[in-house]
CSV table of all heavy atoms in Angstrom, one decimal:
chain,number,residue,atom,x,y,z
A,1,LYS,N,10.7,7.5,-8.6
A,1,LYS,CA,11.1,7.7,-7.2
A,1,LYS,C,11.1,6.4,-6.4
A,1,LYS,O,11.3,6.3,-5.2
A,1,LYS,CB,10.1,8.7,-6.5
A,1,LYS,CG,10.2,10.1,-7.1
A,1,LYS,CD,9.2,10.9,-6.3
A,1,LYS,CE,9.3,12.4,-6.8
A,1,LYS,NZ,8.4,13.3,-6.1
A,2,ASN,N,10.8,5.3,-7.2
A,2,ASN,CA,10.7,4.0,-6.5
A,2,ASN,C,9.7,4.0,-5.4
A,2,ASN,O,10.0,3.4,-4.3
A,2,ASN,CB,12.1,3.5,-6.1
A,2,ASN,CG,12.8,2.8,-7.1
A,2,ASN,OD1,12.7,3.0,-8.3
A,2,ASN,ND2,13.7,1.8,-6.6
A,3,THR,N,8.6,4.6,-5.6
A,3,THR,CA,7.6,4.8,-4.6
A,3,THR,C,6.2,4.5,-4.9
A,3,THR,O,5.8,4.8,-6.1
A,3,THR,CB,7.6,6.3,-4.1
A,3,THR,OG1,9.0,6.6,-3.6
A,3,THR,CG2,6.7,6.6,-2.9
A,4,VAL,N,5.5,3.9,-4.1
A,4,VAL,CA,4.1,3.7,-4.2
A,4,VAL,C,3.3,4.4,-3.2
A,4,VAL,O,3.7,4.6,-2.1
A,4,VAL,CB,3.7,2.1,-4.2
A,4,VAL,CG1,4.0,1.6,-2.8
A,4,VAL,CG2,2.3,1.9,-4.6
A,5,TYR,N,2.1,5.0,-3.6
A,5,TYR,CA,1.3,5.8,-2.7
A,5,TYR,C,-0.1,5.2,-2.5
A,5,TYR,O,-0.6,4.4,-3.4
A,5,TYR,CB,1.1,7.2,-3.3
A,5,TYR,CG,2.4,7.9,-3.7
A,5,TYR,CD1,3.0,7.8,-5.0
A,5,TYR,CD2,3.1,8.6,-2.6
A,5,TYR,CE1,4.1,8.4,-5.2
A,5,TYR,CE2,4.2,9.3,-3.0
A,5,TYR,CZ,4.8,9.2,-4.2
A,5,TYR,OH,6.0,9.9,-4.6
A,6,LEU,N,-0.7,5.5,-1.4
A,6,LEU,CA,-2.1,5.2,-1.2
A,6,LEU,C,-2.8,6.5,-0.7
A,6,LEU,O,-2.6,6.9,0.4
A,6,LEU,CB,-2.3,4.1,-0.1
A,6,LEU,CG,-3.7,3.6,0.1
A,6,LEU,CD1,-4.3,3.0,-1.2
A,6,LEU,CD2,-3.9,2.7,1.3
A,7,GLN,N,-3.6,7.1,-1.6
A,7,GLN,CA,-4.3,8.3,-1.3
A,7,GLN,C,-5.6,7.8,-0.7
A,7,GLN,O,-6.4,7.1,-1.4
A,7,GLN,CB,-4.6,9.1,-2.5
A,7,GLN,CG,-5.4,10.4,-2.2
A,7,GLN,CD,-4.7,11.4,-1.3
A,7,GLN,OE1,-3.6,11.7,-1.5
A,7,GLN,NE2,-5.4,11.8,-0.3
A,8,MET,N,-5.9,8.2,0.6
A,8,MET,CA,-7.1,7.7,1.3
A,8,MET,C,-8.0,8.9,1.5
A,8,MET,O,-7.6,9.9,2.3
A,8,MET,CB,-6.7,7.1,2.6
A,8,MET,CG,-5.8,5.9,2.4
A,8,MET,SD,-5.5,5.0,3.9
A,8,MET,CE,-4.5,6.3,4.8
A,9,ASN,N,-9.2,8.9,1.0
A,9,ASN,CA,-10.1,10.0,1.2
A,9,ASN,C,-11.4,9.6,1.9
A,9,ASN,O,-11.7,8.4,1.8
A,9,ASN,CB,-10.4,10.7,-0.1
A,9,ASN,CG,-9.2,11.3,-0.9
A,9,ASN,OD1,-8.4,11.9,-0.3
A,9,ASN,ND2,-9.2,11.2,-2.2
A,10,ILE,N,-12.1,10.5,2.4
A,10,ILE,CA,-13.4,10.3,3.2
A,10,ILE,C,-13.1,9.1,4.1
A,10,ILE,O,-13.9,8.1,4.1
A,10,ILE,CB,-14.5,10.0,2.1
A,10,ILE,CG1,-14.4,10.9,0.9
A,10,ILE,CG2,-15.9,10.0,2.8
A,10,ILE,CD1,-15.4,10.6,-0.2
A,11,LEU,N,-12.1,9.2,4.9
A,11,LEU,CA,-11.8,8.1,5.9
A,11,LEU,C,-12.9,7.9,6.9
A,11,LEU,O,-13.6,8.8,7.4
A,11,LEU,CB,-10.5,8.5,6.5
A,11,LEU,CG,-9.3,8.3,5.7
A,11,LEU,CD1,-8.1,9.0,6.2
A,11,LEU,CD2,-9.0,6.7,5.6
A,12,LYS,N,-13.0,6.7,7.2
A,12,LYS,CA,-14.1,6.2,8.2
A,12,LYS,C,-13.3,5.5,9.4
A,12,LYS,O,-12.2,5.0,9.3
A,12,LYS,CB,-15.0,5.2,7.6
A,12,LYS,CG,-15.7,5.7,6.3
A,12,LYS,CD,-16.5,4.6,5.6
A,12,LYS,CE,-17.2,5.0,4.4
A,12,LYS,NZ,-18.0,4.0,3.7
A,13,PRO,N,-14.0,5.5,10.5
A,13,PRO,CA,-13.4,4.8,11.7
A,13,PRO,C,-13.0,3.4,11.4
A,13,PRO,O,-12.0,2.9,11.9
A,13,PRO,CB,-14.5,4.9,12.8
A,13,PRO,CG,-15.2,6.1,12.4
A,13,PRO,CD,-15.3,6.2,10.9
A,14,GLU,N,-13.7,2.7,10.5
A,14,GLU,CA,-13.5,1.3,10.2
A,14,GLU,C,-12.2,1.2,9.3
A,14,GLU,O,-11.7,0.0,9.1
A,14,GLU,CB,-14.6,0.6,9.6
A,14,GLU,CG,-15.2,1.4,8.4
A,14,GLU,CD,-16.5,2.1,8.8
A,14,GLU,OE1,-16.4,2.8,9.8
A,14,GLU,OE2,-17.5,2.0,8.1
A,15,ASP,N,-11.7,2.3,8.8
A,15,ASP,CA,-10.4,2.3,8.1
A,15,ASP,C,-9.2,2.2,9.0
A,15,ASP,O,-8.1,2.0,8.6
A,15,ASP,CB,-10.3,3.4,7.2
A,15,ASP,CG,-11.3,3.5,6.1
A,15,ASP,OD1,-11.6,2.4,5.5
A,15,ASP,OD2,-11.8,4.5,5.8
A,16,SER,N,-9.5,2.4,10.4
A,16,SER,CA,-8.4,2.4,11.3
A,16,SER,C,-7.6,1.0,11.3
A,16,SER,O,-8.3,0.0,11.5
A,16,SER,CB,-8.9,2.7,12.7
A,16,SER,OG,-9.4,4.0,12.8
A,17,ALA,N,-6.4,1.0,11.2
A,17,ALA,CA,-5.6,-0.2,11.1
A,17,ALA,C,-4.1,0.2,11.0
A,17,ALA,O,-3.7,1.3,10.8
A,17,ALA,CB,-6.0,-1.1,9.9
A,18,VAL,N,-3.2,-0.9,11.1
A,18,VAL,CA,-1.9,-0.7,10.7
A,18,VAL,C,-1.9,-1.1,9.2
A,18,VAL,O,-2.3,-2.2,8.8
A,18,VAL,CB,-1.0,-1.7,11.5
A,18,VAL,CG1,0.5,-1.5,11.0
A,18,VAL,CG2,-1.0,-1.3,13.0
A,19,TYR,N,-1.3,-0.2,8.4
A,19,TYR,CA,-1.2,-0.4,6.9
A,19,TYR,C,0.2,-0.8,6.6
A,19,TYR,O,1.2,-0.2,7.0
A,19,TYR,CB,-1.6,0.9,6.3
A,19,TYR,CG,-3.0,1.1,6.2
A,19,TYR,CD1,-3.8,1.5,7.3
A,19,TYR,CD2,-3.8,1.0,5.0
A,19,TYR,CE1,-5.1,1.7,7.4
A,19,TYR,CE2,-5.2,1.3,5.0
A,19,TYR,CZ,-5.8,1.6,6.1
A,19,TYR,OH,-7.2,1.8,6.1
A,20,TYR,N,0.3,-1.9,5.8
A,20,TYR,CA,1.6,-2.4,5.4
A,20,TYR,C,1.7,-2.3,3.9
A,20,TYR,O,0.9,-2.7,3.1
A,20,TYR,CB,1.6,-3.9,5.8
A,20,TYR,CG,1.6,-4.2,7.3
A,20,TYR,CD1,0.3,-4.4,7.9
A,20,TYR,CD2,2.7,-4.3,8.1
A,20,TYR,CE1,0.3,-4.7,9.3
A,20,TYR,CE2,2.7,-4.5,9.4
A,20,TYR,CZ,1.5,-4.7,10.0
A,20,TYR,OH,1.4,-5.0,11.4
A,21,CYS,N,2.9,-2.0,3.5
A,21,CYS,CA,3.3,-2.0,2.1
A,21,CYS,C,3.9,-3.4,1.8
A,21,CYS,O,4.6,-4.0,2.6
A,21,CYS,CB,4.4,-0.9,1.9
A,21,CYS,SG,5.0,-0.7,0.3
A,22,ASN,N,3.6,-3.8,0.6
A,22,ASN,CA,4.0,-5.2,0.1
A,22,ASN,C,4.6,-5.1,-1.3
A,22,ASN,O,4.0,-4.4,-2.1
A,22,ASN,CB,2.9,-6.1,0.3
A,22,ASN,CG,3.1,-7.5,-0.3
A,22,ASN,OD1,3.0,-7.6,-1.6
A,22,ASN,ND2,3.3,-8.4,0.5
A,23,ALA,N,5.7,-5.8,-1.5
A,23,ALA,CA,6.2,-5.9,-2.9
A,23,ALA,C,6.4,-7.3,-3.2
A,23,ALA,O,6.9,-8.1,-2.5
A,23,ALA,CB,7.5,-5.2,-2.9
A,24,LEU,N,5.9,-7.7,-4.4
A,24,LEU,CA,6.1,-8.9,-5.0
A,24,LEU,C,7.1,-8.8,-6.1
A,24,LEU,O,7.0,-8.1,-7.1
A,24,LEU,CB,4.8,-9.6,-5.6
A,24,LEU,CG,4.9,-10.8,-6.4
A,24,LEU,CD1,5.6,-12.0,-5.6
A,24,LEU,CD2,3.6,-11.2,-7.0
A,25,VAL,N,8.3,-9.5,-6.0
A,25,VAL,CA,9.4,-9.4,-7.0
A,25,VAL,C,9.5,-10.7,-7.7
A,25,VAL,O,9.7,-11.8,-7.0
A,25,VAL,CB,10.7,-9.0,-6.3
A,25,VAL,CG1,11.8,-9.0,-7.3
A,25,VAL,CG2,10.6,-7.8,-5.5
A,26,VAL,N,9.4,-10.8,-9.0
A,26,VAL,CA,9.5,-11.9,-9.8
A,26,VAL,C,10.9,-11.8,-10.5
A,26,VAL,O,11.1,-10.9,-11.3
A,26,VAL,CB,8.4,-12.1,-10.8
A,26,VAL,CG1,8.6,-13.4,-11.7
A,26,VAL,CG2,7.0,-12.2,-10.1
A,27,ARG,N,11.7,-12.8,-10.4
A,27,ARG,CA,13.1,-12.8,-11.0
A,27,ARG,C,12.9,-13.5,-12.4
A,27,ARG,O,12.0,-14.2,-12.7
A,27,ARG,CB,14.1,-13.5,-10.1
A,27,ARG,CG,14.2,-12.8,-8.8
A,27,ARG,CD,15.3,-13.5,-7.9
A,27,ARG,NE,14.8,-14.8,-7.4
A,27,ARG,CZ,14.0,-14.9,-6.3
A,27,ARG,NH1,13.7,-13.9,-5.6
A,27,ARG,NH2,13.6,-16.1,-6.0
A,28,LEU,N,14.0,-13.3,-13.2
A,28,LEU,CA,14.0,-13.9,-14.5
A,28,LEU,C,14.0,-15.4,-14.5
A,28,LEU,O,13.5,-16.0,-15.5
A,28,LEU,CB,15.2,-13.4,-15.3
A,28,LEU,CG,15.2,-11.8,-15.6
A,28,LEU,CD1,16.5,-11.5,-16.3
A,28,LEU,CD2,14.1,-11.6,-16.6
A,29,SER,N,14.6,-15.9,-13.4
A,29,SER,CA,14.6,-17.3,-13.2
A,29,SER,C,13.2,-17.9,-13.0
A,29,SER,O,13.0,-19.2,-13.1
A,29,SER,CB,15.5,-17.7,-12.1
A,29,SER,OG,15.0,-17.2,-10.9
A,30,GLY,N,12.2,-17.1,-12.7
A,30,GLY,CA,10.9,-17.5,-12.3
A,30,GLY,C,10.7,-17.5,-10.8
A,30,GLY,O,9.5,-17.7,-10.4
């Protein structure tokens, strides 16, 4: 599905934030 997930349990107030997805792509060229 070309999808990554973050399952977050037992959430705390200090978990409050903007959450960002990030991808690192390495090409054959390096």
Side-chain angles (χ1 to χ4, degrees):
K1 296 181 178 180
N2 273 28
T3 301
V4 65
Y5 305 95
L6 186 67
Q7 178 67 48
M8 305 184 294
N9 298 324
I10 320 176
L11 282 161
K12 305 174 180 179
E14 52 262 46
D15 295 319
S16 296
V18 177
Y19 283 71
Y20 297 92
C21 183
N22 170 281
L24 172 63
V25 180
V26 179
R27 297 179 291 276
L28 291 176
S29 65

